[in-house]
Amino acid sequence: MVVRTAPIRRTGATPPIAPVSGRPTASAYPLDRPYPGCPPVQAIERFFRNYAVFSGRASRSEFWWPMLMTGIAETALGALATMSDIGVFDAIQGVLSLALLIPSLAVSVRRLHDINLNGAWLIPFAGLTVLGSALSVMGAMAALLVLFLVPDAVRQGFDFILLGSVITVVAGIAYAVCMAWPSNPDGARFDKPRR
C-alpha cells in the first residue's frame, strides 16, 4: 500500500523547532499547575512570578532549584560579610532574606499541596525550627552570663544549646524529606484556576 502525501512547499520561513527532549515547552504548564522536571531558569522564574501565591501546586524541581539559588546567594553574602569590615553585605543579606521570605513560604505551601498535604503542615516545621533556635540562644545567653559565677549553670546552658541544635536539625531534615516526596495526583484538589 502506497501512502500519498502532499508536496512540501518551500516558502522561505523556517519551520518551528520541536523541543529536543520531546517534552512540552514551559508555556504548556500554567503557573497554577506543577511543572515536573522544570529546568532551573524556568523554576526560578516561576518562583518569582508566583511571589505570594499560596494556592495551587509546585513540583519538586520548582521547589528545589529556587531553594538552591537562595542557599547559594545567602552563603555567598554571609562569606562576604565575614571577610569584609563594612556591614554592607550584612545589610544586603538581611534585605535579601526578607525579600525571599514570602516566596519561599509560598513555594513550600504549594509543594506541600503537590504531595497532597495541607499548607498548615508548614507550621510544625517552622515552629520546631524557631523553638530549637530559641533554646540555643537561651542556652548561649545563660552560659555567657554566668560563665564565671556558677559552673553548673554553664553546663545547663550548653545542654540547652545542644537540645536546641538537635531540635533544629531534626526539623530541617524532616522538612527536606517531606519536600523530596514524589508528587501525589490527589494533590489536584488544591488547584484553583487563576483569573
Side-chain angles (χ1 to χ4, degrees), residues 18-173:
V20 176
S21 65
R23 295 170 45 110
T25 60
S27 61
Y29 294 99
L31 286 174
D32 61 342
R33 299 289 190 266
Y35 182 173
C38 186
V41 174
Q42 281 84 13
I44 293 168
E45 177 188 349
R46 291 170 71 90
F47 176 75
F48 286 111
R49 290 190 66 198
N50 285 324
Y51 190 88
V53 177
F54 290 85
S55 62
R57 297 178 290 156
S59 67
R60 283 188 280 196
S61 54
E62 285 179 86
F63 173 81
W64 285 110
W65 283 119
M67 291 303 110
L68 178 64
M69 180 261 324
T70 301
I72 290 172
E74 293 277 348
T75 302
L77 285 171
L80 288 171
T82 302
M83 291 187 294
S84 77
D85 292 337
I86 54 176
V88 69
F89 293 113
D90 287 328
I92 293 171
Q93 186 179 17
V95 168
L96 180 68
S97 295
L98 285 175
L100 295 177
L101 178 65
I102 298 297
S104 296
L105 291 173
V107 76
S108 296
V109 167
R110 290 194 315 272
R111 180 72 197 119
L112 287 169
H113 289 170
D114 193 46
I115 60 174
N116 197 27
L117 291 176
N118 192 321
W121 277 91
L122 195 58
I123 294 170
F125 297 127
L128 287 173
T129 302
V130 169
L131 173 67
S133 299
L135 286 173
S136 294
V137 168
M138 288 180 356
M141 288 172 45
L144 288 175
L145 289 176
V146 295
L147 186 60
F148 298 108
L149 301 175
V150 185
D152 289 340
V154 173
R155 169 83 177 150
Q156 291 172 348
F158 286 128
D159 290 344
F160 270 109
I161 293 171
L162 180 63
L163 177 64
S165 299
V166 168
I167 290 172
T168 302
V169 168
V170 168
I173 291 171

